[in-house]
Amino acid sequence: MSHYEIVSREDFSEVTYLLEIRHPMMARAAKPGQFVMVMLNEQGERIPLTIADFDGEKGTITLVIQAVGKTTRQMQQECLVGTSLYALVGPMGVPSPISHARKVLCVGGGLGVAPIFPQARGYKEAGAYVIGVVGFRNKDLVFWDEKFRDCCDELIVCTDDGSLGIKGLVTAGILQAIEKHPDIEEVVAIGPPIMMKGCADTTRPYNIKTMVSLNPVMVDGTGMCGGCRVKIGDQVKFACVDGPDFDGHQVDFDDLMMRLRRYTRTERQALDHWEKGCNLTKSIAGSVEALIPVQALSAA
Amino acid sequence: MREQDPVERSRNFEEVACGYHPDDAMRESERCLMCPDQPCVSGCPVGIDIPGFIRKIGEKDLRGAYDILTETSLLPAICGRVCPQENQCEGVCTVGESLEPVAIGRLERFVGDAAIREGWVNIPYIEANRFKVGIVGSGPAGMACAADMAKAGCEVTVFEAFHQPGGVLRYGIPDFRLPNAVIDAEIGNLRKLGVRFECNTLVGRLFTIEQMITEMGYDSVFVGVGAGYPTMLGIPGDSLNGVLSANELLTRCNLMRAKEFPNFDTPQPIGKRVAVVGAGNTAMDAMRVCLRLGAEKVYCIYRRSRKEAPARAEEVHHAEQEGVEYHWLTNPVAVLDDGHGNVRGMRCVRMELGEPDESGRRRPVQVADSEFDFEADLIVYAIGTNANPIMGQTSKLELNKWGYIQTDHSLATSMAGVFAGGDIVTGAATVIEAMGAGRKAAASMKAYLGLRDSALPYASGGEKLFGIDTRERNFARVRVA
Ligand SMILES: Cc1cc2nc3c(=O)[nH]c(=O)nc-3n(C[C@H](O)[C@H](O)[C@H](O)COP(=O)(O)OP(=O)(O)OC[C@H]3O[C@@H](n4cnc5c(N)ncnc54)[C@H](O)[C@@H]3O)c2cc1C
Ligand SMILES: Cc1cc2nc3c(=O)[nH]c(=O)nc-3n(C[C@H](O)[C@H](O)[C@H](O)COP(=O)(O)OP(=O)(O)OC[C@H]3O[C@@H](n4cnc5c(N)ncnc54)[C@H](O)[C@@H]3O)c2cc1C
Ligand code: SF4
Ligand code: SF4
Ligand code: FES
């Protein structure tokens, strides 16, 4: 029944992989900042993933996924070239407003490196001077640096251990860029909530407009369930239809992070149930563990 | 009608009302007085020939009864189950003045179920007319419009954002009230009429309404995207973990089948003590789902009294039988947290009914110093929905001040060729009203396209040959089921 075929795949590391999926109509419609909802199979959960790239001519969209739990790990195992997804809906969400700012800083951390790419490219195409800041845990996890170099006028790579580029978090990269370019008009930051919070805090004193892309738990992605509600200033917004991009200086990140932990227990259960039924190697499981501290912070 | 035992059924998802035995249906049909002035017919939003189909049941001609029903209603097995009959057809039944009204809904369901069991479908002559019609949303409004346009010979495609068609029937109303098999059967009938379903298609974002008309070659479009966008109370604690909308709870449970977790992946929030705010159908469904998922206590918090509860009377009663505890005239003022971002309980005040407001209902006012707390670990809001914003964001369709699509009396929108109906026009209403709107829009669309068969196949009393209306005088290809 389904016809969302995976046409290519690339594994960036033990936990990060790229899927290129055929969907000509979506490839033409997609704009930077939008996302899709994916179901691997009929029993699966609907999970939101950002459209990391789209190619109208080839008729494909690209997703870059981090294996953090049941669904994303099962996809890592089962989504091979030639297989199909059960469901793929999108593009969802309000496209990022690519403004006419002349100098823009695009910041991607971990999970957010891929989704920041279409924005960086969008700004480049709109004629902006684009400075990219991408952050990884270490040199082995780095991907797409070539792609970024193509569309960024400057690229700052940050690694936690200093194995490539500057040592430190992306916020260090932001500060470095701001120092060199006091005329940066806009910052766009995508990554784990804790990182986006850091970015917003970093730019606040400079009063630079900072957009972030929020990733609350979603069910339908069409504005029907309210599960994705986030606090923006004194208002409640639904990230899937009112966002996912919001003004980072207005976002209540603590609320977002607390709400992301809603289903930690059941998610764990789903993973255990699935692992019992398959022979995932211990080593992968181990490295995944290391990657989810954000979500696991206070898993009850 | 036999019902599953309340204690037993509150632990399973099997249908609560088991349906009539043929003898019961016969007996019930005999209670109808065949009133010449037919008050019941005017009580039904789509004007089903009620005495007509009941007479056929009495004559043991179920196929005949089905034919009469489907002249007006597309979904008898569904409406018979979910219509708020006490406010509609049964509410004005003459017998009801002194006794229980004739159980019109149950009889309708009886016939609808028989049709599904026997595989009856009424496929009229269909002459293809080269018109392409696009339907956005596969809820009852979209389904009804699709059926009529297909019967008129148009090439009809229904676009649905979810991975399965049916709208609220699928994601909202639980299995124990409306089994999936019934929805599947009705969707199957539409397919037999030649209707195509394109799921996983978010109209507005994948392509816009404008594009459908200009680039994709649709001659006319119907928008029936439902209401959706749930309302939160706006009290302290709204965003705590454990507070969610009934839509989320029900979608997880019904559409995503979280009730079968972990065989299905979607997590289901469930608590031991659940408080559901609201007393409409959505609230009843949410409460009864929670009971079935194993909640020990389920409270219904409603600021008016039982008399004002908008849910179907039968659901209020069923929920009570199953163990829901009602707290009428009670209004929540805050959700209490446990210090770790989770729900611990709720703070409410007592209300009393004051002067009537604009809607004629007596306005609840707070009783002084009546605040009290109670423990709960899951809070579900079922207090209504707003218009879904996607259509407004992505098209030039004119909206009214509440964000619903603006239409004229013929359901035409501000865009030529585009019609709209159902919850996205009226705000949350009922299945039968949405269906009626779909049919009304279809009639307008046919007029717009210059198709002139609109009145014919639906006027009752026509001669039929092999189930085909003989007054349809075209001699084109007949599509056989
Ligand atoms: C708009 C948006 C864009 C996203 N883009 C990407 C992307 O490009 N690449 C990527 O790897 N991830 C992305 N995510 C996150 C991704 O959706 C989650 O990692 C995924 O749902 C986890 O599912 P799981 O079953 O593998 O893990 P689980 O064990 O179920 O969950 C792990 C954690 O993921 C989060 N999560 C779980 N379910 C959902 C859900 N339905 N919706 C949102 N978050 C959830 C929770 O914080 C949870 O604690 C995005 C999320 C959103 C909202
Ligand atoms: C829990 C619950 C219980 C109810 N119980 C009853 C009852 O017992 N009796 C009764 O008469 N009424 C009941 N109702 C109300 C009734 O279900 C609705 O009034 C009716 O379904 C409205 O029909 P609709 O076709 O307008 O919209 P919906 O049924 O909401 O269908 C709209 C469809 O459009 C899809 N859609 C939305 N946006 C897009 C888009 N951009 N592109 C493509 N598709 C899109 C949605 O996914 C959905 O499937 C209940 C409602 C709920 C929520
Ligand atoms: S459609 Fe609803 S209101 Fe009309 S007769 Fe049937 S049950 Fe009654
Ligand atoms: S009002 Fe009641 S008794 Fe009279 S025709 Fe209708 S169903 Fe029969
Ligand atoms: S995901 Fe359901 S409203 Fe946003």
Side-chain angles (χ1 to χ4, degrees):
Chain A
M1 150 174 179
S2 90
H3 42 276
Y4 312 109
E5 192 199 344
I6 293 160
V7 294
S8 79
R9 166 175 174 142
E10 203 177 322
D11 285 82
F12 294 136
S13 70
E14 273 182 343
V15 289
T16 315
Y17 54 100
L18 170 153
L19 301 178
E20 192 180 354
I21 303 160
R22 191 185 316 285
H23 195 318
M25 211 169 210
M26 198 186 309
R28 279 196 303 274
K31 297 198 183 58
Q34 291 187 300
F35 64 95
V36 292
M37 298 291 295
V38 170
M39 272 176 93
L40 174 58
N41 53 36
E42 217 182 325
Q43 292 75 38
E45 190 179 356
R46 291 166 70 90
I47 65 160
L49 297 165
T50 309
I51 303 175
D53 200 359
F54 43 90
D55 186 333
E57 269 159 41
K58 249 167 100 187
T60 59
I61 61 147
T62 300
L63 308 175
V64 176
I65 308 164
Q66 233 171 48
V68 296
K70 152 98 210 271
T71 308
T72 43
R73 283 159 79 171
Q74 194 177 0
M75 284 175 70
Q76 187 183 28
Q77 278 202 351
E78 296 180 11
C79 290
L80 307 174
V81 174
T83 61
S84 295
L85 297 170
Y86 170 72
L88 175 68
V89 211
M92 294 174 143
V94 181
S96 304
I98 302 287
S99 68
H100 294 287
R102 275 156 313 203
K103 201 173 264 187
V104 180
L105 188 59
C106 292
V107 189
L111 204 129
V113 171
I116 199 73
F117 170 74
Q119 309 231 24
R121 186 174 59 186
Y123 276 108
K124 187 72 222 166
E125 282 166 2
Y129 184 90
V130 179
I131 307 158
V133 177
V134 290
F136 298 92
R137 195 151 279 140
N138 61 55
K139 154 165 143 281
D140 297 332
L141 298 173
V142 174
F143 64 89
W144 276 13
D145 43 335
E146 283 312 309
K147 258 178 113 130
F148 275 100
R149 271 182 228 288
D150 285 346
C151 74
C152 293
D153 297 279
E154 279 175 47
L155 181 67
I156 303 172
V157 179
C158 313
T159 48
D160 291 4
D161 61 357
S163 50
L164 190 76
I166 60 176
K167 180 171 172 3
L169 304 172
V170 286
T171 42
I174 296 177
L175 284 173
Q176 190 184 40
I178 294 179
E179 243 153 65
K180 190 167 158 206
H181 302 276
D183 54 344
I184 290 174
E185 289 174 30
E186 228 171 282
V187 176
V188 187
I190 308 183
I194 190 85
M195 170 222 131
M196 293 191 282
K197 183 180 188 207
C199 295
D201 289 343
T202 309
T203 60
R204 193 173 278 120
Y206 299 93
N207 221 346
I208 307 173
K209 181 180 167 199
T210 303
M211 295 301 284
V212 294
S213 173
L214 302 188
N215 58 345
V217 173
M218 295 187 175
V219 183
D220 57 310
T222 64
M224 203 230 25
C225 74
C228 63
R229 60 191 190 275
V230 289
K231 278 191 192 158
I232 311 295
D234 54 5
Q235 284 187 309
V236 173
K237 297 275 184 192
F238 290 3
C240 68
V241 286
D242 301 322
D245 291 1
F246 295 98
D247 177 354
H249 294 154
Q250 301 273 324
V251 173
D252 184 339
F253 284 103
D254 296 330
D255 179 72
L256 174 69
M257 289 188 267
M258 181 191 81
R259 288 182 51 75
L260 273 171
R261 296 195 297 266
R262 268 191 298 162
Y263 295 111
T264 318
R265 232 186 38 236
T266 16
E267 282 156 5
R268 189 77 239 170
Q269 233 175 307
L271 187 60
D272 291 344
H273 180 79
W274 174 69
E275 277 182 341
K276 246 184 262 155
C278 75
N279 47 4
L280 200 70
T281 59
K282 267 269 152 10
S283 70
I284 295 179
S287 52
V288 167
E289 221 58 2
L291 256 166
I292 42 171
V294 179
Q295 280 95 8
L297 263 175
S298 68
Chain B
M1 183 159 54
R2 204 170 71 76
E3 286 172 357
Q4 263 199 80
D5 172 71
V7 177
E8 199 173 299
R9 75 181 187 230
S10 67
R11 296 286 171 240
N12 69 43
F13 278 88
E14 307 294 319
E15 198 171 7
V16 167
C18 307
Y20 273 141
H21 184 272
D23 296 341
D24 301 332
M26 289 295 291
R27 213 171 302 127
E28 187 63 29
S29 72
E30 283 158 15
R31 298 181 59 227
C32 172
L33 308 173
M34 306 291 155
C35 312
D37 57 338
Q38 306 188 331
C40 51
V41 177
S42 49
C44 168
V46 296
I48 287 182
D49 175 9
I50 295 168
F53 96 80
I54 295 184
R55 175 176 292 123
K56 290 283 182 196
I57 298 180
E59 292 167 5
K60 295 205 168 124
D61 178 9
L62 289 191
R63 177 72 208 226
Y66 180 68
D67 291 344
I68 292 180
L69 279 171
T70 48
E71 271 168 20
T72 332
S73 169
L74 176 69
L75 316 164
I78 295 178
C79 294
R81 283 178 166 83
V82 303
C83 262
Q85 288 96 1
E86 69 274 14
N87 303 330
Q88 299 179 350
C89 52
E90 294 176 17
V92 287
C93 170
T94 318
V95 179
E97 284 166 19
S98 43
L99 303 161
E100 275 289 297
V102 177
I104 302 169
R106 291 173 177 183
L107 289 171
E108 189 173 327
R109 168 189 166 174
F110 175 70
V111 177
D113 284 355
I116 293 176
R117 204 171 46 241
E118 305 291 333
W120 298 332
V121 254
N122 282 340
I123 310 259
Y125 263 145
I126 295 182
E127 180 188 4
N129 61 20
R130 294 184 301 115
F131 283 122
K132 245 174 100 175
V133 169
I135 311 270
V136 186
S138 64
M143 285 163 79
C145 187
D148 280 7
M149 295 316 281
K151 286 179 187 161
C154 302
E155 185 190 320
V156 181
T157 309
V158 179
F159 297 102
E160 167 57 47
F162 275 129
H163 51 283
Q164 284 179 354
V168 170
L169 305 178
R170 178 84 64 180
Y171 74 70
I173 304 180
D175 292 12
F176 54 83
R177 254 193 336 121
L178 179 59
N180 272 331
V182 175
I183 309 169
D184 291 338
E186 302 291 6
I187 301 270
N189 285 347
L190 286 180
R191 288 211 163 95
K192 287 184 193 151
L193 286 173
V195 174
R196 284 202 314 144
F197 285 88
E198 289 281 350
C199 290
N200 298 312
T201 309
L202 184 67
V203 178
R205 293 280 171 216
L206 189 58
F207 47 81
T208 61
I209 304 275
E210 279 90 340
Q211 278 175 303
M212 289 177 78
I213 299 276
T214 55
E215 295 168 22
M216 297 166 70
Y218 285 97
D219 299 291
S220 187
V221 171
F222 174 76
V223 182
V225 294
Y229 205 93
T231 318
M232 293 287 145
L233 270 176
I235 57 175
D238 265 1
S239 65
L240 290 171
N241 289 334
V243 181
L244 75 168
S245 76
N247 274 2
E248 178 174 353
L249 181 95
L250 292 169
T251 306
R252 283 177 181 273
C253 181
N254 302 334
L255 179 76
M256 304 311 297
R257 314 220 343 231
K259 57 177 186 267
E260 291 160 60
F261 183 88
N263 292 326
F264 282 72
D265 295 346
T266 303
Q268 179 72 56
I270 189 59
K272 285 200 162 48
R273 290 163 170 267
V274 184
V276 177
V277 183
N281 284 319
T282 314
M284 298 301 145
D285 286 344
M287 291 188 286
R288 298 171 72 194
V289 157
C290 288
L291 282 172
R292 282 161 177 77
L293 291 171
E296 286 161 15
K297 284 272 178 206
V298 177
Y299 310 109
C300 173
I301 311 292
Y302 186 56
R303 66 198 178 108
R304 300 177 194 261
S305 68
R306 182 175 192 137
K307 211 163 90 244
E308 281 88 12
R312 297 178 73 216
E314 188 181 15
E315 309 310 331
V316 178
H317 173 65
H318 277 161
E320 187 165 42
Q321 281 184 323
E322 288 167 15
V324 164
E325 239 176 69
Y326 288 107
H327 292 269
W328 308 111
L329 291 167
T330 306
N331 202 28
V333 290
V335 182
L336 310 172
D337 74 283
D338 68 349
H340 304 283
N342 305 311
V343 170
R344 164 173 69 84
M346 195 169 219
R347 176 161 302 156
C348 290
V349 290
R350 299 275 181 219
M351 311 293 280
E352 59 192 2
L353 291 178
E355 295 300 308
D357 59 14
E358 316 85 64
S359 69
R361 298 190 294 186
R362 291 175 65 194
R363 190 196 300 274
V365 286
Q366 190 174 328
V367 177
D369 300 323
S370 60
E371 222 172 66
F372 67 101
D373 295 353
F374 64 91
E375 271 180 44
D377 48 10
L378 191 74
I379 310 281
V380 182
Y381 290 170
I383 50 169
T385 53
N386 290 317
N388 188 298
I390 296 179
M391 284 298 133
Q393 286 171 344
T394 59
S395 76
K396 295 202 178 68
L397 284 179
E398 214 169 281
L399 308 179
N400 68 18
K401 66 177 172 191
W402 299 281
Y404 295 102
I405 296 178
Q406 183 83 50
T407 62
D408 67 8
H409 63 281
S410 73
L411 296 182
T413 67
S414 58
M415 212 186 288
V418 181
F419 297 77
D423 283 6
I424 193 60
V425 171
T426 54
T430 63
V431 172
I432 188 72
E433 282 166 317
M435 212 188 79
R439 297 207 62 196
K440 186 169 170 196
S444 306
M445 287 162 85
K446 285 186 252 180
Y448 170 80
L449 297 172
L451 296 171
R452 300 187 38 189
D453 70 341
S454 42
L456 255 188
Y458 311 114
S460 44
E463 279 294 301
K464 287 221 165 85
L465 193 61
F466 308 121
I468 292 169
D469 192 319
T470 49
R471 290 163 310 155
E472 284 252 4
R473 293 265 171 243
N474 61 45
F475 302 93
R477 187 157 53 98
V478 178
R479 238 181 275 172
V480 183

